[in-house]
Amino acid sequence: MAALRREGRRFAPLISPRSITAVRSSPIAPTHEDEGPIGVRYISTQVVRNRMKSVKNIQKITKAMKMVAASKLRAVQSKTENSRGLWQPFTALLGDLPSVDVKKSVVVTISSDKGLCGGINSTSVKISKGIHKLNSGPEKETKYVVLGEKAKAQLIRDSKKDIELIITELQKNALNYTQVSVLADEILKNVEFDALRIVFNKFHSVVSFVPTVSTVLSPEIVEREAESGGKLGDLDNYEVEGGETKGEILQNLAEFQFSCVMFNAVLENACSEQGARMSAMDSSSRNAGDMLDRLTLTYNRTRQASITTELIEIISGASALEG
Amino acid sequence: MLRQASRLLARRSILAARARPFSTDLSAADQTADATFTEAWNKVIPNIDPPKTPLSFMKPRPPTPSSIPSKLTVNFVLPYASALATKEVDMVIVPATTGQMGVLPGHVATIAELKPGVLSVHEGNEVTKYFVSSGFVFIHANSFADIIAVEAVPLDQLDANLVQKGLAEFTSKLSSATTDLEKAEAQIGIDVHSALNSALTG
């Protein structure tokens, strides 16, 4: 009996000269549910046990990652909600013209550096490519500014020549306005644009992230739209205090608007990343749990089948001796 | 009460989409802006849903009432918090680059840049003062004021000793500065610290 219980540790198959059929099944058989003819040796349960161990480890790791993402989400979420008031005055003043017709548009794609966060980075890249297509035409050009490793990997494949600037490791230190304004400064200095379109995932709730595009226009385009009437036509009614020219104030305004909108966008994207990672890790640990259940059943079946085989061999050997 | 009624009437007539000269109400206009974008998107990229735009996340502002309202609605926002959100006050005094500017309800629509200085909010008898580093103020014709500042602290949180030390430090930096950039940075430091000084004393 003890020998039967130790079956799991026996690797070398037993060669019993008195067994009825000395057929040995192939030791590398991958299918565990094999119900072969009597006497067929099944795959050793060690293989199944190894798989179970690794799946259980995966389950633990993904559960831990989910907890980490949840705590990081809590930290960033309060900051994000506080920063939501920042871009509203600009939209109230200058309106939002995503369909404005400009020659040079620059798409700023915000993505994460780390993976395992579901599909949000692919969504951002798809939307950026869509905007690129939307704004392509004769005399129009669209360039990319990429924030984050994941979007860089995807965009570099087919739009390498259109990428102006790549910025990574944004979240090494906690996100703050100073860092983002330095970033905005860099972008404004190095990239020529008529309109900046910032693509990011807006955080609605832990399970819902909405891809959003915010448009920031350069001061010349603002003037052009204001003169031509339409949505920005009211802008001329505003008196501009200070500065020598209206253009100077509008320039400062556009730059300030860009840094504020960027700050909010980066925070929202960070929130969405943590939320997406939470739900990805949650479904992953659930899948691992399901797999573990299935493997346990297989393991028990395999174990019982090999016990049965042993019993049969012994009994048939004994009955051959007797009779 | 009559003003409330007129505001309600005005809001209902948004749906009639009447053209209004000083209106900062965008809900009629924004439907069209979003619609052109959505249409253009659906033509070129039919498989993916178009992305949302900020207008869909913002509450529209009320239109300009015909008579001057009694209170000014102030939104004072910083990158880290909304210090005041749609608060109704009597008056605010903002430190614009052209000097201290008082804003009352019915002020003409203005865009002004701020310099480091003291912002005071007057509500009834109480006055709250903040030191503001810089930013912008938008005054809309419907007596809404948006103040966006990079950093703002209530005056009682300022330390006079540190202000003096900072002023001395930047003055010495200015005298030892060589490049234009360093001179400009030192000058900015001096401006801010002297404003802090006068805020604490004045």
Side-chain angles (χ1 to χ4, degrees):
Chain A
M1 271 331 283
L4 288 168
R5 235 167 256 139
R6 272 187 290 124
E7 42 69 34
R9 286 188 203 101
R10 259 183 310 196
F11 293 97
L14 271 178
I15 304 174
S16 158
R18 284 181 179 67
S19 60
I20 289 180
T21 45
V23 175
R24 246 187 292 146
S25 73
S26 138
I28 327 168
T31 50
H32 303 176
E33 279 95 316
D34 256 337
E35 305 274 291
I38 302 176
V40 172
R41 188 76 60 206
Y42 288 85
I43 188 171
S44 100
T45 54
Q46 187 67 15
V47 175
V48 186
R49 273 240 300 275
N50 284 342
R51 276 204 87 175
M52 274 168 64
K53 200 160 72 162
S54 62
V55 171
K56 209 188 309 199
N57 282 341
I58 289 179
Q59 188 183 29
K60 283 195 206 156
I61 291 173
T62 49
K63 222 184 259 187
M65 283 184 77
K66 176 185 165 193
M67 296 289 138
V68 168
S71 70
K72 286 199 181 158
L73 176 69
R74 260 198 306 271
V76 192
Q77 193 171 358
S78 51
K79 264 196 184 173
T80 309
E81 285 176 1
N82 287 337
S83 81
R84 281 208 179 129
L86 200 58
W87 54 266
Q88 291 186 1
F90 293 105
T91 317
L93 179 75
L94 298 169
D96 186 36
L97 301 158
S99 50
V100 68
D101 196 17
V102 287
K103 289 224 176 53
K104 288 201 184 120
S105 43
V106 172
V107 177
V108 181
T109 314
I110 305 187
S111 69
S112 63
D113 283 335
K114 305 214 179 105
L116 295 180
C117 50
I120 51 168
N121 293 324
S122 312
T123 327
S124 290
V125 170
K126 266 196 292 203
I127 303 272
S128 313
K129 289 193 182 160
I131 294 183
H132 181 110
K133 209 162 143 193
L134 202 63
N135 283 318
S136 54
E139 290 194 13
K140 284 207 261 191
E141 54 160 9
T142 318
K143 297 263 171 204
Y144 291 106
V145 169
V146 180
L147 267 73
E149 286 278 354
K150 295 286 148 191
K152 164 182 157 192
Q154 292 189 31
L155 282 173
I156 241 179
R157 259 206 253 126
D158 45 5
S159 316
K160 189 159 175 192
K161 57 179 173 44
D162 281 333
I163 301 183
E164 287 269 355
L165 215 56
I166 302 179
I167 299 153
T168 53
E169 295 204 358
L170 210 60
Q171 297 206 35
K172 208 151 100 161
N173 309 319
L175 290 168
N176 56 7
Y177 184 68
T178 325
Q179 174 192 33
V180 176
S181 54
V182 169
L183 202 68
D185 200 27
E186 280 290 322
I187 297 178
L188 289 167
K189 265 197 303 213
N190 295 329
V191 180
E192 271 186 36
F193 65 95
D194 285 332
L196 282 160
R197 299 170 201 276
I198 306 169
V199 176
F200 61 103
N201 292 85
K202 196 168 163 76
F203 181 77
H204 270 215
S205 77
V206 182
V207 293
S208 130
F209 327 105
V210 181
T212 317
V213 64
S214 292
T215 319
V216 173
L217 303 170
S218 76
E220 295 90 20
I221 301 291
V222 169
E223 292 253 15
R224 188 191 83 182
E225 290 289 316
E227 275 161 31
S228 69
K231 280 122 225 159
L232 281 185
D234 310 331
L235 198 60
D236 272 338
N237 297 326
Y238 283 78
E239 287 223 2
V240 177
E241 292 259 339
E244 283 92 39
T245 61
K246 182 173 166 184
E248 198 181 297
I249 302 284
L250 280 184
Q251 169 93 3
N252 289 345
L253 186 66
E255 297 186 354
F256 192 43
Q257 181 187 13
F258 180 49
S259 75
C260 289
V261 173
M262 272 290 277
F263 182 61
N264 185 56
V266 169
L267 279 176
E268 299 263 359
N269 205 58
C271 251
S272 307
E273 177 197 340
Q274 300 299 344
R277 186 165 297 135
M278 250 180 85
S279 60
M281 292 295 107
D282 181 49
S283 59
S284 165
S285 49
R286 207 172 314 127
N287 287 344
D290 287 344
M291 202 178 207
L292 200 59
D293 287 341
R294 273 203 313 271
L295 280 174
T296 311
L297 286 175
T298 313
Y299 176 72
N300 285 334
R301 254 206 306 273
T302 317
R303 187 175 54 87
Q304 287 160 3
S306 72
I307 292 176
T308 314
T309 317
E310 299 255 350
L311 272 174
I312 289 176
E313 284 180 6
I314 292 176
I315 292 173
S316 52
S319 68
L321 270 177
E322 280 173 28
Chain B
M1 205 202 58
L2 280 173
R3 216 173 299 118
Q4 301 268 15
S6 75
R7 215 181 294 156
L8 281 170
L9 274 176
R11 213 170 275 150
R12 228 175 286 143
S13 61
I14 290 167
L15 303 169
R18 255 190 313 142
R20 255 182 303 270
F22 290 98
S23 163
T24 53
D25 173 28
L26 298 163
S27 68
D30 76 33
Q31 309 293 0
T32 48
D34 281 353
T36 32
F37 180 63
T38 327
E39 276 172 30
W41 178 275
N42 282 329
K43 260 201 292 212
V44 184
I45 308 121
N47 300 329
I48 311 177
D49 279 337
K52 294 262 156 68
T53 50
L55 270 176
S56 43
F57 299 121
M58 210 175 91
K59 270 195 321 214
R61 295 286 176 85
T64 313
S66 42
S67 63
I68 298 178
S70 67
K71 295 276 203 188
L72 186 68
T73 322
V74 166
N75 284 326
F76 180 26
V77 284
L78 305 165
Y80 299 109
S82 285
L84 297 171
T86 52
K87 180 151 184 238
E88 307 231 327
V89 298
D90 295 324
M91 177 172 81
V92 285
I93 303 184
V94 293
T97 41
T98 49
Q100 298 280 61
M101 192 163 82
V103 183
L104 289 156
H107 196 286
V108 70
T110 312
I111 304 175
E113 199 178 334
L114 302 176
K115 69 168 193 259
V118 176
L119 170 88
S120 48
V121 177
H122 299 253
E123 165 69 23
N125 283 332
E126 39 177 77
V127 179
T128 346
K129 292 199 182 179
Y130 302 89
F131 184 82
V132 158
S133 68
S134 56
F136 266 85
V137 62
F138 308 142
I139 308 167
H140 303 281
N142 53 3
S143 296
F144 261 72
D146 291 315
I147 309 171
I148 312 144
V150 175
E151 192 69 61
V153 288
L155 278 185
D156 43 15
Q157 292 182 7
L158 293 173
D159 183 345
N161 294 332
L162 287 175
V163 172
Q164 297 293 1
K165 259 203 307 194
L167 187 58
E169 191 190 317
F170 277 101
T171 331
S172 69
K173 265 202 204 149
L174 181 63
S175 44
S176 68
T178 44
T179 63
D180 273 341
L181 183 64
E182 284 178 33
K183 282 206 187 103
E185 288 178 5
Q187 188 63 46
I188 293 175
I190 292 181
D191 285 341
V192 175
H193 281 84
S194 15
L196 276 167
N197 224 351
S198 51
L200 283 172
T201 50

